[in-house]
Amino acid sequence: MFLMSSNPNRLSISQMASARPPVPTGDGAAYLNGLNPEQRDAVLHTEGPLLVLAGAGTGKTRVLTSRLAHIVATRLAYPSQTLTVTFTNKAAREMRERAQALLGDAGEGLRWLGTFHSISAQILRKHAELVGLKSSFTILDTDDQIRLCKQIVQAENLDPKRWTPRYLAGLIDGWKNRALTPSKVPPEEAELFGNGKAIKCYEIYQARLRVLNACDFGDLLIHNITIFQESPDILREYHDRFRYILVDEYQDTNVAQYLWLRLLAQGSKNLCCVGDDDQSIYGWRGAEVDNILRFEKDFPGAKVVRLERNYRSTRHILAAASSVIAHNKGRLGKTLYVGNDSAVNEDTDAPKVKVRGLWDGEAESRLIADDIESWVRGGGRHDGCAVLVRASWQMRAFEERFILLGIPYRVIGGPRFFERAEIRDAMAYLRLIRSPDDDLAFERVVNEPKRGVGDTSLAKLQSYARQDGRSLFTLTPMVLQTDEIKGGAKRGLTTFIDQINLWRGKLAGGMPHTELAEMILEESGYTDMLQKDRSPQAQTRLDNLKELVRAMGEFDTLAGFLEHVELVMDASAGGNGEDQVQILTLHAAKGLEWPVVFLPGWEEEVFPSRRSLDESGLKGLEEERRLAYVGITRARERCYISFVANRQIYGRWQAVMPSRFIDELPPEHVDAVSETGYSGLPASADAFSGTIEDLGERSDYQSPGWKRLKENAGRPTGAPPRDAAGLTATASGTSGFTTGARVFHDKFGYGRVAFSEGNKLTVDFDKTGRKKVIATFVTKA
DNA sequence: CGATACGATCTTTTT
DNA sequence: GATCGTATCG
C-alpha cells in the first residue's frame, strides 16, 4: 500500500521545506547507542559499498533505519532516491514504520522501500513489453506453478509418479534462483527431469507463461535483470534514480537477487548491506551465504563494519549460542560480546541455559506447559514465552497440552490464509472476471462447485485451445456451438460462461467489488455447497470466505485487491497484542525475541533434520546449526532446551538420540537434568549398568514393551531379548554388549543401551513382514 | 462423471 | 496418523 506519489523524483519546494525533519535524535547517536563512534560514523557517512556484519541482537534494523533516515534528513537524497530492500513484507512494514517515526512527513516519500519482489514487480510493470508481457500481467503463486508443471508433464507423456510436477516446479525455481534462463541452464542438467527433458520442460513452461500473460515470483527478478542487461538506457535511468541502496538480511540473497542488486548498484556504488552469515537459514530455497562471504571481492573498496556487541541476552545464552556456532567452518568469524554496559548481560544471577531429557514428547509438552504456568504465576506474561520447533508437526503436542490446561497460545505460520482452497477458489472467480485469459483460474473453478464438467470435457476444451492459441474462456462458447460436448457438461459450461459474463458486466456497471464477491459466492452455488457439507471444516471455510470479503473492503478496486494478494499474500489483520504463548518454527522466529524461549525436540534426525543431512551433507548440517544459533539467540532471559528418548513421528514410535548440538553446548553455562538417566552430557549422565532386572526398580512404567524386556530379566543388559510372543529377534552387531552397558531409556520396549566404544547393535523384530526397530543399542562415543 | 478405496508420502517458507 | 493423488468401480 505504498506507491502513492505518482512522480517519485520530484518534490516541490514547499514539499521539501515541510518534508525536512530534524536530523534524527540530535547527532544520531542515541538511536545507535550500541555502536562505538567509528562504527556509527561508518554507518551514517560511508559513501560507496558498505557491509555491516551484525550478529544476533546487535541492532541490525537500527543500523539500516538510522542510515536511511540520516541520508534523507541531511538531504543527501530525496526519499524517492533511496532504494531499501527486504525479504518479507513484515520486515518492510517495520522498516517503513521506524523510518517514518524518525523522519516524520519526509518518510512518506519512501516509495522504493519494499521486498525484492514488490519492487521488481513495480519496475517490471513499467517495461513489461520488453520481455513479451503486457503490463497487466498476473503473478502466479506456487500452486499455479505446480498445476502448470503438471500439464507439461502430461503433455510430454511422462510418468507423473517418477517425474512429479512438484519436482519440476522445484527445478525451475532453483534455476530462477540462480538467474538461469532456459538457454543458460548447463546442458547436462537436462538429465534432471524426464529423461533429458528438463530444459525442454522449462522452455515450455516459460512459453506457457507468456501466453497466459503471467510470471512467477522468480520471473519478476529474472525479467528485471534481462531488461537491465538489454536496455542500458533503462538501467541508466534507475542508476540516476537510486542514489543510495540499502539491503536487509543480505545473507539470504540468491544469485538472481545478487545480480539485480549489482546491476543497480553500478550507478551510485552506494550499496549498504546488512546481514549475518551465522543466520543464513534459507539455503534450501536458493540463498547463497557466499554472497555475503564474497562481498569485499564483489564490491572493491567496500568498508566492513562488524557489530558484535549484543544487548539482548544473558551471558549464558550468548555463551551457549557462540559455543554451538563455533563448530561451523567457513564463517566470517564474529564473536558475540556481552555488552559492557548492559545490565541484562551482566546479571550474575541469571539462570544458566537448561537442558532437559525426558521420556517422550508428552512429558516434554507437560513440562514446558508447567514452566509457562509458573512463569506466569511469578508475574510473567504468556506472550513473553515462545516455543520454537524445527518442523510444524511438532507443534501439535504443545497445542493439545495448552488447550487442556487453558493456556492461551497462538500458532504463527501454518497454512496461510490465501493458500486455503476456498480462498483460492474465490480468488480464481475474481481473477477470471478480471482477465478472461487466465486459464489456470478457469480450470480451477469451472467445476467447483460441481457443474458436471469433468476431465473429459476439460481435456477437449484444452486441446482446442492449444490448437487455436486462444484462452479457454474465449474458446468455450465456440465449442459449445458445435456438438462436441453434450448433456450435463454442456449445460454446466453454458451456465458457467453466462454467469462469468454477467458478473463481469456487473463489475463494469459499477457494482462494488465486495458486493460482487458475495454475489458470486451465492450464485455460483459455492456457499450452498459448503452449507450442505456438515464436516467441521465447512464452517471454518465459510468464515474464511466472510473474512475474505471483509479484507476486500479495505481496497478501493478489485484490481488493487488482486495485486495486493498476489504479492503480499498475507492477511495482515494481525490479531497481535493478545497475551498468548507463541508456537512457531525456528525459521519463522528469525528477527524476533522473547524473555523465555523453549527449544524442544533436540534429537538427532529431528534437529538436525535427517533430510537436511541426507540431501545436503555437511552443508546441511551447518545450516541446521545456524538454526540452533538463531533459536538460542531469540531468548533474552531464559532458554530451555529439551530432548526425549522416544518420539512419535508420523504416528510411529521411534527411539531417538539426543542431538549432537547438545554436546556442543558449553557445560559451564548449562544446567542439565535428565529424567531418562541420560543427558547427552557426559558429566551429568546418570548411567548405570547391570542386568535388565535393574530396570524394574528404576521406573514406574509398565507398558507392553516394558514387560517384554522384563521377560528377559536376568540376561545381561544389551543382550538381544530372547524370542518372545512369537516374534523373531535378529541381532546384528559386534561384541562388547554384555558388560559395562548402560540402559538409558525404555518405556515402550524401544530401549537403548550404551556399551563400550565403537560398537553398534540393532535388534529388529519381524512379525508382519515389516521390519520394526524394537531396540537399538548404540555406543555413545 | 463422481464417489470410494487404497497407497505413497510426509522439512523448513517468502514472494 | 493424516492427507493427498491415483486407480477403480458404480
Side-chain angles (χ1 to χ4, degrees):
Chain A
M1 264 147 305
F2 23 103
L3 15 150
M4 269 152 268
S5 88
S6 53
N7 190 339
N9 257 334
R10 292 217 185 120
L11 275 172
S12 69
I13 301 291
S14 64
Q15 271 176 313
M16 262 166 56
S18 64
R20 194 167 134 205
V23 175
T25 60
D27 61 352
Y31 201 57
L32 289 173
N33 57 5
L35 280 61
N36 66 36
E38 235 170 89
Q39 293 173 329
R40 199 179 306 143
D41 182 62
V43 165
L44 295 180
H45 301 122
T46 299
E47 298 277 322
L50 169 67
L51 174 65
V52 181
L53 288 169
T58 56
K60 208 164 9 121
T61 317
R62 281 178 177 213
V63 164
L64 271 188
T65 6
S66 309
R67 180 173 166 91
L68 178 60
H70 188 81
I71 288 165
V72 172
T74 56
R75 302 169 97 193
L76 287 167
Y78 292 125
S80 59
Q81 291 173 322
T82 62
L83 169 67
T84 309
V85 215
T86 64
F87 276 84
T88 65
N89 290 300
K90 195 173 144 223
R93 223 178 295 137
E94 213 176 285
M95 191 82 71
R96 175 173 298 274
E97 278 163 19
R98 290 217 214 170
Q100 285 181 345
L102 285 179
L103 286 171
D105 291 346
E108 297 294 321
L110 292 167
R111 185 173 182 279
W112 300 100
L113 188 161
T115 63
F116 276 100
H117 293 90
S118 72
I119 289 173
S120 40
Q122 282 180 62
I123 293 177
L124 186 56
R125 292 237 185 252
K126 289 200 183 155
H127 315 288
E129 72 292 346
L130 293 178
V131 287
L133 291 170
K134 285 180 262 178
S135 123
S136 60
F137 63 83
T138 323
I139 301 163
L140 301 185
D141 65 17
T142 321
D143 201 79
D144 293 323
Q145 269 183 68
I146 292 174
R147 286 190 308 143
L148 203 53
C149 287
K150 195 174 165 186
Q151 291 175 7
I152 294 171
V153 170
Q154 278 165 355
E156 290 297 301
N157 270 325
L158 294 169
D159 174 14
K161 268 192 187 146
R162 172 79 181 81
W163 306 107
T164 66
R166 179 179 291 276
Y167 181 67
L168 176 60
L171 272 181
I172 292 177
D173 248 12
W175 286 322
K176 289 185 176 176
N177 284 336
R178 285 154 62 199
L180 298 174
T181 51
S183 58
K184 287 190 201 142
V185 175
E188 64 271 19
E189 292 191 29
E191 289 306 318
L192 291 172
F193 194 84
N195 310 316
K197 285 187 178 168
I199 296 173
K200 188 178 173 207
C201 290
Y202 185 15
E203 277 163 359
I204 300 173
Y205 177 88
Q206 288 305 109
R208 282 290 293 155
L209 286 185
R210 223 166 296 126
V211 173
L212 291 169
N213 187 30
C215 63
D216 59 25
F217 288 119
D219 277 346
L220 294 172
L221 265 300
I222 303 279
H223 288 329
N224 267 234
I225 293 172
T226 313
I227 292 168
F228 291 156
Q229 284 173 340
E230 290 175 2
S231 318
D233 36 325
I234 291 179
L235 180 59
R236 208 166 310 122
E237 199 182 297
Y238 287 99
H239 284 166
D240 293 342
R241 171 166 299 162
F242 299 136
R243 300 251 203 102
Y244 289 88
I245 302 177
L246 296 96
V247 186
D248 193 16
E249 308 274 21
Y250 188 64
Q251 77 282 356
D252 287 337
T253 47
N254 60 33
V255 173
Q257 287 156 340
Y258 160 75
L259 289 174
W260 187 82
L261 281 173
R262 205 177 62 175
L263 282 163
L264 286 173
Q266 279 166 359
S268 70
K269 310 261 194 309
N270 290 322
L271 173 69
C272 167
C273 297
V274 178
D276 178 2
D277 52 315
D278 289 333
Q279 290 188 68
S280 159
I281 54 175
Y282 285 107
W284 48 274
R285 100 183 175 206
E288 295 274 341
V289 208
D290 269 8
N291 287 344
I292 197 167
L293 303 176
R294 258 192 358 245
F295 190 87
E296 291 179 81
K297 269 191 205 145
D298 287 340
F299 301 96
K303 191 174 269 183
V304 179
V305 175
R306 282 187 160 74
L307 304 185
E308 299 175 305
R309 188 160 293 170
N310 173 300
Y311 282 83
R312 180 191 290 162
S313 314
T314 69
R315 62 202 175 94
H316 299 303
I317 291 168
L318 289 183
S322 307
S323 169
V324 171
I325 199 69
H327 287 77
N328 271 4
K329 308 205 168 22
R331 308 167 54 218
L332 285 174
K334 234 177 322 68
T335 331
L336 275 190
Y337 292 117
V338 168
N340 288 333
D341 43 354
S342 159
V344 178
N345 295 153
E346 287 293 284
D347 184 1
T348 40
D349 291 339
K352 294 183 174 181
V353 171
K354 282 217 167 67
V355 175
R356 306 181 294 193
L358 296 125
W359 287 111
D360 57 30
E362 204 191 309
E364 188 182 44
S365 52
R366 213 184 300 133
L367 180 66
I368 287 178
D370 288 352
D371 286 337
I372 292 172
E373 288 190 320
S374 63
W375 164 261
V376 171
R377 266 198 306 278
R381 290 171 55 91
H382 287 112
D383 61 9
C385 303
V387 181
L388 312 186
V389 297
R390 176 62 181 82
S392 43
W393 58 263
Q394 295 169 271
M395 294 177 172
R396 207 176 52 182
F398 296 97
E399 285 193 70
E400 280 169 4
R401 188 71 197 164
F402 292 168
I403 289 170
L404 190 72
L405 297 181
I407 296 175
Y409 73 91
R410 187 161 80 106
V411 171
I412 300 178
R416 308 209 164 276
F417 185 72
F418 284 103
E419 283 164 20
R420 290 160 199 265
E422 64 277 16
I423 301 299
R424 296 187 46 85
D425 288 343
M427 295 293 301
Y429 276 105
L430 295 168
R431 273 164 55 184
L432 195 53
I433 287 169
R434 176 190 58 175
S435 32
D437 295 344
D438 194 335
D439 282 0
L440 291 165
F442 183 100
E443 287 158 17
R444 183 167 185 104
V445 291
V446 66
N447 203 28
E448 196 71 43
K450 300 274 175 283
R451 292 189 182 86
V453 184
D455 293 344
T456 332
S457 316
L458 191 59
K460 275 183 199 154
L461 289 175
Q462 277 166 334
S463 79
Y464 276 106
R466 198 160 308 139
Q467 283 169 28
D468 194 87
R470 270 186 287 180
S471 64
L472 294 172
F473 188 87
T474 33
L475 225 93
T476 304
M478 296 185 233
V479 178
L480 285 174
Q481 307 227 309
T482 69
D483 258 348
E484 196 64 36
I485 293 171
K486 303 186 202 68
K490 182 166 189 167
R491 276 194 301 276
L493 278 170
T494 313
T495 26
F496 181 66
I497 297 284
D498 288 350
Q499 280 184 319
I500 297 284
N501 281 327
L502 175 79
W503 294 325
R504 192 175 295 137
K506 295 272 182 194
L507 185 69
M511 178 185 257
H513 55 294
T514 48
E515 223 170 282
L516 177 73
E518 279 166 349
M519 179 184 239
I520 293 170
L521 291 171
E522 207 49 55
E523 293 184 355
S524 66
Y526 203 93
T527 323
D528 263 9
M529 177 183 76
L530 284 178
Q531 274 161 355
K532 281 188 192 118
D533 184 347
R534 281 190 311 284
S535 72
Q537 296 116 5
Q539 190 51 49
T540 329
R541 296 204 172 127
L542 283 167
D543 291 344
N544 286 338
L545 290 171
K546 271 195 200 126
E547 171 60 21
L548 178 75
V549 175
R550 197 204 57 73
M552 285 175 72
E554 292 178 10
F555 292 81
D556 296 338
T557 64
L558 179 63
F561 174 70
L562 290 175
E563 166 91 11
H564 171 81
V565 173
E566 283 167 351
L567 266 175
V568 182
M569 289 291 270
D570 104 46
S572 51
N576 333 329
E578 280 184 72
D579 185 26
Q580 295 165 318
V581 176
Q582 311 190 42
I583 306 176
L584 58 163
T585 61
L586 286 161
H587 285 89
K590 195 166 74 162
L592 305 173
E593 57 179 83
W594 297 267
V596 185
V597 167
F598 296 94
L599 302 167
W602 281 40
E603 297 115 31
E604 283 296 304
E605 321 235 304
V606 174
F607 184 46
S609 134
R610 203 194 90 191
R611 276 251 322 236
S612 189
L613 265 51
D614 285 353
E615 282 171 16
S616 320
L618 183 63
K619 249 186 134 182
L621 174 65
E622 297 214 332
E623 183 150 314
E624 296 285 305
R625 197 176 273 121
R626 290 193 288 269
L627 217 38
Y629 174 81
V630 168
I632 298 170
T633 52
R634 297 310 95 191
R636 288 207 292 265
E637 298 170 33
R638 301 184 189 194
C639 180
Y640 298 89
I641 294 169
S642 53
F643 64 89
V644 301
N646 301 289
R647 184 165 308 272
Q648 233 176 342
I649 301 173
Y650 302 137
R652 294 258 155 259
W653 282 101
Q654 236 174 279
V656 287
M657 283 283 282
S659 166
R660 68 191 78 189
F661 300 150
I662 287 177
D663 295 324
E664 297 169 1
L665 292 164
E668 35 336 330
H669 294 281
V670 164
D671 271 335
V673 185
S674 173
E675 294 184 6
T676 64
Y678 179 74
S679 73
L681 296 170
S684 50
D686 175 22
F688 66 94
S689 58
T691 60
I692 288 175
E693 269 173 320
D694 290 328
L695 289 166
E697 291 147 27
R698 294 220 171 195
S699 171
D700 304 327
Y701 290 110
Q702 288 295 328
S703 65
W706 179 250
K707 285 183 195 133
R708 191 154 54 237
L709 265 195
K710 275 199 154 178
E711 283 164 21
N712 289 286
R715 313 191 81 208
T717 4
R722 73 171 74 98
D723 292 0
L727 302 175
T728 316
T730 52
S732 62
T734 46
S735 62
F737 54 84
T738 49
T739 53
R742 204 171 77 184
V743 174
F744 57 82
H745 76 264
D746 174 72
K747 176 180 170 185
F748 297 94
Y750 306 98
R752 282 185 171 225
V753 178
F755 44 100
S756 60
E757 266 186 47
N759 295 306
K760 189 169 180 175
L761 171 73
T762 307
V763 181
D764 301 332
F765 284 90
D766 197 345
K767 183 184 169 191
T768 54
R770 280 190 186 178
K771 270 213 167 168
K772 211 172 188 181
V773 176
I774 295 291
T776 313
F777 301 84
V778 192
T779 299
K780 180 83 178 75

